[in-house]
Amino acid sequence: MREPLRLNEGIDSWNTAIFLYRSALKEVGTKVEILNDEFQQVHQYNPIEYVKSRVKSPESIVKKLRRRGYESTIGNMITYVNDIAGIRIVCSFTSDIYRLAEMIGKQNDLKVISIKDYIKHPKESGYKSYHMLVTVPIFLTDRVIDTKVEIQIRTMAMDFWASLEHKIYYKFEGNAPEYISRDLRECSSIVSMLDAKMLQLNDAILEARVAQIE
């Protein structure tokens, strides 16, 4: 029997929900690791620099629900908070991002719910990343529950910028001075130029290697 994550209220339900989200992270993390290993075997190249994963804290979930005007219930948490389970994949080059996204999207037991390409369409703040919301089936003893996981794919430069923005956001509680926001947007443009230049340099190195072999 296949069903979306739907639980009753109570501490047992909370524990079950967190168990499912943690299990979903393990499932997706294993898939990403296998894809990286396969890519290394076939192409002698690792597209992934590192992977981070986390389950949102109860405090963060409650804050997000309140900001959106919802009561702090298990049902609302499951329905309206899509990034409770999150995995971040950090690559060297922008080309790796789209290559990985394509490979992840082709996994038969993953269902892609939505895609947000903040690389081609950055946020007003300058934030760039590629987001995929997927569901992964978690097999229990009596049923199968599709559980949501948000996948973020970005370059190392994008990740560094996002980390700084995150610190500033919390330091100023979302109301940073305009000159700081402006400088962040400028840095985002620099990050884009750096990523483009590094990709160009990598392509040049690969072409030079091919020329040496020939």
Side-chain angles (χ1 to χ4, degrees), residues 73-150:
T73 65
I74 299 292
N76 285 342
M77 172 185 88
I78 293 165
T79 303
Y80 299 114
V81 185
N82 291 327
D83 61 345
I84 293 176
I87 186 165
R88 183 184 308 156
I89 305 170
V90 179
C91 308
S92 296
F93 308 106
T94 50
S95 57
D96 295 331
I97 294 173
Y98 293 102
R99 191 175 298 157
L100 277 168
E102 182 181 5
M103 290 191 297
I104 291 170
K106 288 180 178 179
Q107 296 289 300
N108 289 334
D109 54 349
L110 285 184
K111 181 179 180 181
V112 179
I113 304 301
S114 66
I115 290 175
K116 295 180 180 178
D117 190 344
Y118 294 118
I119 300 172
K120 294 179 179 177
H121 307 285
K123 291 185 178 181
E124 187 177 348
S125 64
Y127 175 86
K128 295 183 177 72
S129 187
Y130 190 93
H131 290 197
M132 303 176 71
L133 180 62
V134 304
T135 60
V136 59
I138 303 300
F139 292 82
L140 303 179
T141 55
D142 60 343
R143 54 186 171 151
V144 181
I145 299 181
D146 290 325
T147 307
K148 290 185 288 189
V149 177
E150 184 188 64

Side-chain angles (χ1 to χ4, degrees), residues 113-196:
I113 304 301
S114 66
I115 290 175
K116 295 180 180 178
D117 190 344
Y118 294 118
I119 300 172
K120 294 179 179 177
H121 307 285
K123 291 185 178 181
E124 187 177 348
S125 64
Y127 175 86
K128 295 183 177 72
S129 187
Y130 190 93
H131 290 197
M132 303 176 71
L133 180 62
V134 304
T135 60
V136 59
I138 303 300
F139 292 82
L140 303 179
T141 55
D142 60 343
R143 54 186 171 151
V144 181
I145 299 181
D146 290 325
T147 307
K148 290 185 288 189
V149 177
E150 184 188 64
I151 303 172
Q152 298 179 357
I153 316 175
R154 59 180 68 155
T155 64
M156 290 186 289
M158 291 175 193
D159 193 52
F160 177 61
W161 184 96
S163 176
L164 180 60
E165 186 209 28
H166 183 77
K167 292 175 183 177
I168 291 173
Y169 178 87
Y170 277 96
K171 183 176 182 63
F172 293 100
E173 297 182 348
N175 295 305
E178 174 54 32
Y179 73 93
I180 290 181
S181 298
R182 183 187 65 245
D183 287 349
L184 264 178
R185 289 192 294 270
E186 290 179 3
C187 287
S188 178
S189 298
I190 295 171
V191 164
S192 295
M193 288 188 289
L194 175 62
D195 275 335

